[in-house]
């Protein structure tokens, strides 16, 4: 086994093959090592996320060396049949890779018995391996930004089904209306490690499932979304502890801004708040309350029922009365503004969190005009108000250069020495094709690989810098896929992730290498 640096909060164990990786995952879970927060299995690797308050990467590796893979792994025992309409846009290309006709490809995909080796990427996404060894399909040279929910794909030796619309680089051969993840189902995931899967030709047209309209809210204290702006979400610190199930922590893109806004109104630091990206929102209040803003600098004012307006400063509590409207205009520094309300939001949680995960669909849906969110009311605030205000941190802006510390690894050996130099010597522009899933960066010189071929899917952390074959990096945000097959050249350190969450399109990034932990 090899031990590879990932970030200042994670290390990676590389096994010989899928079998050893699976047995090692079983052993690591049973070992319950001090300082280990989460363990994420993949094709040949185990991602181990650590608590830096308890252990360091180097200390953890010393403990990991003492763990021997388990002698065997219990089967999941379940069998699932998935109906597929084979109309994927990559059918012809995949048939060409495998040297057969489209009809033969479809026949072989259905004839094979597939087994869920591990889960990841997103909730409900299973990596399936076949008893037909001929399936070996390269990923697309550049990932698509939108793949429809239910898409059936192939990549490497794996097949899988996208649980919901998301980006991805797999070759698409069909689609299904099977629900891969349902938090109200027991268990929520249709696919679990060890489950056997058979694919069958669908004999009817698939019908897309529409989101149900938001339920009406009847509360003495509420916030109504008059206009959601570019993107308006509920966020809190997220839902850690579910990585092995394919559930990302998600959570506020700027954790410091969430804490600041909550402290200003007397909430617990991790209470849920609204996260506005891009500006342009209008919120109307039912009942009296107290709000505060933090994060991106923004033109904000409070409009009373009589038409009078007062400016809303950052990081200070501001009283609101019944019928008042908070108007959030243009942002001039950063990208995301946090709006905290005293008492917090009275909204059902998903796995203990109100965070909206835009990739997996976990948590409340992105807010739309007409949505009303119930509030607990100002009397529910349990903490004293921060006497601040504190000077806001310097935030990124369009055209401004931001330096981010990175730990190189785990796949630096996939790149040429020139690429490693380019990564840290060149400025990278944040493109408009960026969101909470990932920031697509553009540089004058792309990063050159030292090797061709496919990397077996493996775990990645928030802040990971993944490099598709076109050499233009993708910097993973809080809603990133948990596993992927493009090599990761490094990761932004935890202390700089809030800056990443505030990078607007047009901002420029320079990566500054930080020495990784001692040679492993």
């Amino acid at each position: 086994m090899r031990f590879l640096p990932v970030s200042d909060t994670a290390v990676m164990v590389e096994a010989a093959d899928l079998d050893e990786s699976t047995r090692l995952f079983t052993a690591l879970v049973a070992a319950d090592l001090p300082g280990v927060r989460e363990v994420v299995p993949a094709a040949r690797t185990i991602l181990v996320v650590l608590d830096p308050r308890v252990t360091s990467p180097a200390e953890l590796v010393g403990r990991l060396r003492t763990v021997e893979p388990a002698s065997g792994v219990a089967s999941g025992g379940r069998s699932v049949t998935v109906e597929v309409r084979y109309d994927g846009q990559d059918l012809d290309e995949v048939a060409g890779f495998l040297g057969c006709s489209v009809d033969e490809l479809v026949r072989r995909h259905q004839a094979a018995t597939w087994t869920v080796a591990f889960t990841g990427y997103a909730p409900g996404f299973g990596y399936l391996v076949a008893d037909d060894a001929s399936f070996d399909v390269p990923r697309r040279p550049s990932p698509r930004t939108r793949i429809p929910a239910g898409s059936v794909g192939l990549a490497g030796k794996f097949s899988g089904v996208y649980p919901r619309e998301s980006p991805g680089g797999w070759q698409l051969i069909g689609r299904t209306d099977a629900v891969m993840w349902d938090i109200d189902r027991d268990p929520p995931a249709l696919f679990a490690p060890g489950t056997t899967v058979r694919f069958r030709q669908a004999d009817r047209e698939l019908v897309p499932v529409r989101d149900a309209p938001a339920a009406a809210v009847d509360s003495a204290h509420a916030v109504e979304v008059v206009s959601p702006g570019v993107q308006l979400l509920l966020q809190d610190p997220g839902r850690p502890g579910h990585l092995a199930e394919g559930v990302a922590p998600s959570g506020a893109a700027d954790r410091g801004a969430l804490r600041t806004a909550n402290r200003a109104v007397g909430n617990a630091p991790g209470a849920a708040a609204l996260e506005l990206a891009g500006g342009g929102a209008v919120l109307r209040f039912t009942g009296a309350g107290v709000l505060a803003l933090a994060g991106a600098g923004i033109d904000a004012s409070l409009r009373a029922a009589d038409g009078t307006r007062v400016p809303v400063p950052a990081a200070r509590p501001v009283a609101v009365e019944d019928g008042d409207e908070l108007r959030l205009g243009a942002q001039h520094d950063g990208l995301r503004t946090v709006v905290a309300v005293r008492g917090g939001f009275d909204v059902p949680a998903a796995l203990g969190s109100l965070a909206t995960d835009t990739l997996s669909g976990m948590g409340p849906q992105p807010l739309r005009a007409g949505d009303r969110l119930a509030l607990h009311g100002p009397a529910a605030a349990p903490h004293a108000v921060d006497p601040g205000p504190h000077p806001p941190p310097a935030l990124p802006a369009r055209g401004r250069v931001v330096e981010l510390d990175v730990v190189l690894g785990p796949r630096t050996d996939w790149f040429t020495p020139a690429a490693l130099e380019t990564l840290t010597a060149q400025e990278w522009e944040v493109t408009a094709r960026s969101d909470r899933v990932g920031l697509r960066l553009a540089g004058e010189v792309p990063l050159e690989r030292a090797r061709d071929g496919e990397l077996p899917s493996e775990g990645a952390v928030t802040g990971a810098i993944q490099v598709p074959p076109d050499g233009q990096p993708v910097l993973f945000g809080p809603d990133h896929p948990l596993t992927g097959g493009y090599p990761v050249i490094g990761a932004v350190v935890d202390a700089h992730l809030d800056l990443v969450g505030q990078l607007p399109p047009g901002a420029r990034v320079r990566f500054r290498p930080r020495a990784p932990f001692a040679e492993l």
Side-chain angles (χ1 to χ4, degrees):
M1 293 186 290
R2 288 204 305 163
F3 300 89
L4 306 173
V6 172
S7 71
D8 59 333
T9 59
V11 298
M12 183 172 287
V13 188
E14 185 179 64
D17 52 28
L18 177 60
D19 175 70
E20 184 179 59
S21 174
T22 304
R23 291 187 292 111
L24 180 59
F25 170 70
T26 301
L28 285 175
V29 171
D32 192 23
L33 297 177
V36 172
R37 281 179 166 168
E38 306 206 49
V39 184
V40 185
R44 285 183 52 201
T45 60
I46 306 289
L47 178 69
V48 185
V49 180
L50 61 92
D51 184 343
R53 297 169 299 179
V54 177
T55 189
S56 69
E59 290 172 344
L60 178 57
V61 167
R63 297 189 181 106
L64 291 172
R65 291 185 186 277
T66 67
V67 179
E68 294 291 334
S71 57
V73 179
S75 169
R78 288 196 303 146
S79 181
V80 174
T81 299
V82 176
E83 292 191 349
V84 179
R85 182 167 294 278
Y86 288 93
D87 57 1
Q89 53 194 299
D90 300 323
L91 265 176
D92 290 336
E93 191 171 356
V94 172
F97 286 135
L98 298 180
C100 64
S101 67
V102 168
D103 288 344
E104 176 64 10
L105 165 60
V106 171
R107 187 198 68 77
R108 284 164 52 182
H109 192 253
Q110 295 180 83
T113 297
W114 298 84
T115 303
V116 181
F118 57 93
T119 56
Y121 180 75
F125 191 93
Y127 288 80
L128 282 61
V129 292
D131 56 359
D132 179 350
S134 66
F135 281 101
D136 194 353
V137 177
R139 290 175 177 79
R140 296 184 58 78
S142 182
R144 291 183 172 96
T145 57
R146 296 168 69 91
I147 291 179
S151 294
V152 180
L154 294 167
K157 298 182 181 296
F158 298 102
S159 187
V161 181
Y162 284 83
R164 72 185 306 267
E165 184 180 282
S166 61
W170 287 36
Q171 307 282 0
L172 305 182
I173 63 172
R175 54 198 173 99
T176 179
D177 60 356
V179 179
M180 308 309 297
W181 175 270
D182 181 354
I183 197 169
D184 296 322
R185 182 173 60 195
D186 185 19
L190 185 63
F191 292 168
T195 300
T196 57
V197 180
R198 298 297 297 266
F199 292 100
R200 184 172 66 191
Q201 179 81 44
D203 57 5
R204 55 190 172 83
E205 185 61 40
L206 302 175
V207 179
V209 177
R210 306 292 183 188
D211 289 337
V217 171
D218 183 16
S219 174
H221 295 88
V223 174
E224 179 185 353
V225 180
V226 179
S227 171
V230 177
Q231 184 186 63
L232 186 64
L233 309 171
L234 265 176
Q235 294 295 347
D236 60 19
R239 48 183 67 85
H242 302 279
L243 288 178
E245 303 166 50
V247 179
S250 187
D254 183 342
R255 301 160 299 180
L258 177 70
R259 292 191 295 268
T260 296
N262 274 319
R263 283 197 299 260
V265 298
N267 289 344
L274 295 170
E275 178 185 276
L276 172 66
V282 179
L283 306 174
R284 182 180 297 133
F285 287 81
T286 298
V290 179
L291 65 83
L293 308 180
I298 194 168
D299 297 326
S301 64
L302 201 62
R303 180 182 183 275
D306 62 4
T308 59
R309 291 196 185 193
V310 294
V312 177
R316 289 189 179 184
V318 175
V320 295
E321 299 297 334
D322 185 60
D324 284 357
E325 289 184 352
L326 176 64
R327 296 180 171 247
L328 300 166
Q331 291 171 328
H332 41 80
D333 288 304
L335 177 64
R336 294 181 169 91
T337 302
V338 174
V339 184
V341 183
R342 181 172 292 177
F345 292 88
D346 187 8
V347 176
L351 295 181
S353 170
L354 299 188
T356 299
D357 186 332
T358 60
L359 176 64
S360 72
M362 184 77 68
Q365 292 299 299
L367 296 168
R368 299 172 292 186
D371 286 347
R372 296 186 78 240
L373 301 173
L375 299 169
H376 289 294
H383 294 265
V385 172
D386 189 332
H390 301 285
L395 292 176
R398 184 178 182 85
R400 189 179 298 167
V401 179
V402 177
E403 289 193 340
L404 300 173
D405 287 353
V406 297
V407 173
L408 297 180
R411 297 299 173 188
T412 51
D413 57 337
W414 276 66
F415 300 91
T416 64
L420 295 176
E421 168 126 10
T422 298
L423 174 71
T424 57
Q426 175 174 267
E427 290 181 5
W428 300 90
E429 182 175 355
V430 179
T431 72
R433 295 191 305 152
S434 299
D435 53 25
R436 283 177 52 92
V437 176
L439 279 64
R440 290 174 177 257
L441 307 179
E444 182 178 349
V445 180
L447 300 178
E448 182 185 11
R449 285 193 185 185
R451 64 171 75 177
D452 297 321
E454 295 293 323
L455 176 69
S457 292
E458 58 190 24
V461 297
T462 302
I465 305 167
Q466 191 185 67
V467 186
D470 64 5
Q472 301 293 346
V474 179
L475 175 54
F476 279 174
D479 296 349
H480 68 88
L482 300 184
T483 56
Y486 299 122
V488 170
I489 195 171
V492 176
V493 300
D494 185 76
H496 285 180
L497 291 182
D498 286 354
L499 274 176
V500 172
Q502 292 289 2
L503 286 168
R508 304 186 70 81
V509 171
R510 185 182 290 275
F511 294 116
R512 184 169 54 198
R514 176 185 288 188
F517 46 87
E519 183 65 33
L520 304 180

